[in-house]
Amino acid sequence: MNNQTKCGFVAIVGLPNAGKSTLTNALVGAKVSIATRRVQTTRHKIRGIICVDKAQLVFIDTPGIFDPTKNLEKAMVKAALSSIYDVDCVLVVVDTPLLKHTKAEVDTLITRVQNAKIPFAIVLNKIDALNTAQDVLPLIAYYADTYQATHVFPVSARKEDNVENLKKTLIEMIPEGPWMYPEDQLSDQPEQLMAEEITRKYLIEQLGQELPYQLMVQTEKFVRRTKKIKTATVSDITIHQNIVVGREPHKKMVIGSKGEKLKGLGLIIRRELKNFLGCEVHLFLNVKVDPKWRDKRDYYDYLGLDFPAN
């Protein structure tokens, strides 16, 4: 019997809105990455971690890969592409019904992964959107034959169908080696960053189509206090976040009439943060306007992205 532990980094890449973040959360079994119906909501690489028997899998959820035109888009795509070369294997997530993408776009993406010479598997996501189960079989054959892929997995990340089988194959693909993280750790992202992601998620879901690409969330203060009450230890966290938008009308959109929109958002976000952080949360949201934020190096450094060279 082999008692050697295994540990592997797995990049999850795909075109925008292929379901990468939903798949990451399904594999980890917890919400470690933003998953919304809006495209291009993941801005930097998010790591989720699971341990199965003697294997540890570290998943890197990446921004969607597309043809960028703006500085922020270029930085996001660069972050996604760079992850392909720093891992033990790659999952290429395809929107199986091809509702959002063309075969040409998928072909370009998979070719990029093939050129990296890293073991990869193709994940055919959203199979629940197909008419019948029989519709899946020719798709598996097509992707296996066209891209010489040894592993093609039909899944529904949203319903977590076939996710366990995908995990088993990934364990076979990763190398032997010591674990990189403690067994009970689900992500290497600091609490502050995860809190920002939660705030941005609800802004994206609650506000208009244009706004998500014009905002970021930046923490000014994140303080956890712990005190003893009789025999119990009680914690609370005070969080001050800036919501940075590009235009004055966007600020008005976030705040709403007489501040009611921001107040309502604050209640929803505070409740979610309390559940995530496991303690009372005192949340203070401030909305700032900076028309040039997407072109300033400081913001890219804060997000952990490389500032694009002109």
Side-chain angles (χ1 to χ4, degrees), residues 115-221:
N115 291 340
K117 307 298 182 183
I118 302 293
F120 74 96
I122 297 174
V123 177
L124 304 180
N125 193 22
K126 306 181 185 180
I127 58 171
D128 51 308
L130 300 177
N131 292 326
T132 68
Q134 293 301 313
D135 294 333
V136 178
L137 299 178
L139 288 171
I140 295 173
Y142 169 79
Y143 282 97
D145 294 343
T146 304
Y147 305 106
Q148 291 79 53
T150 54
H151 302 293
V152 180
F153 280 90
V155 307
S156 170
R158 183 174 65 88
K159 294 186 175 181
E160 300 188 8
D161 289 345
N162 209 28
V163 171
E164 288 302 316
N165 287 329
L166 176 57
K167 287 182 190 177
K168 292 176 183 176
T169 297
L170 288 173
I171 291 170
E172 295 172 2
M173 295 174 70
I174 63 173
E176 293 184 347
W179 288 4
M180 302 295 292
Y181 299 96
E183 185 173 359
D184 59 351
Q185 187 170 338
L186 293 178
S187 176
D188 72 343
Q189 303 301 312
E191 289 182 331
Q192 174 178 313
L193 176 59
M194 296 302 291
E196 292 170 0
E197 289 291 280
I198 288 170
T199 297
R200 195 162 64 89
K201 168 187 170 68
Y202 283 99
L203 291 169
I204 289 171
E205 289 184 345
Q206 298 291 323
L207 301 173
Q209 284 289 110
E210 181 183 4
L211 187 56
Y213 308 102
Q214 304 289 334
L215 71 82
M216 71 169 292
V217 178
Q218 190 174 37
T219 302
E220 276 200 346
K221 183 178 180 181

Side-chain angles (χ1 to χ4, degrees), residues 25 41 50 66 73 82 95 108 115 129 138 154 159 168 171 173 186 201 211 216-217 219 224 240 247 256 290 294:
N25 293 336
T41 51
I50 61 168
F66 62 108
E73 295 172 346
S82 67
D95 178 357
T108 298
N115 291 340
K159 294 186 175 181
K168 292 176 183 176
I171 291 170
M173 295 174 70
L186 293 178
K201 168 187 170 68
L211 187 56
M216 71 169 292
V217 178
T219 302
R224 180 186 286 271
H240 291 253
R247 298 169 54 196
D290 185 348
R294 289 180 298 172

Side-chain angles (χ1 to χ4, degrees), residues 25-26 28-34 186 194 198 201-202 272 276:
N25 293 336
V28 176
K31 292 182 179 180
V32 295
S33 187
I34 281 186
L186 293 178
M194 296 302 291
I198 288 170
K201 168 187 170 68
Y202 283 99
E272 184 67 18
F276 174 75

Side-chain angles (χ1 to χ4, degrees), residues 15-43:
L15 297 164
N17 208 33
K20 301 177 296 299
S21 297
T22 303
L23 180 62
T24 301
N25 293 336
L27 286 164
V28 176
K31 292 182 179 180
V32 295
S33 187
I34 281 186
T36 77
R37 292 186 296 274
R38 307 284 176 81
V39 300
Q40 210 53 38
T41 51
T42 300
R43 283 186 176 160

Side-chain angles (χ1 to χ4, degrees), residues 272-285:
E272 184 67 18
L273 288 172
K274 179 180 177 180
N275 292 335
F276 174 75
L277 296 168
C279 65
E280 287 296 327
V281 172
H282 310 287
L283 177 66
F284 301 88
L285 298 174

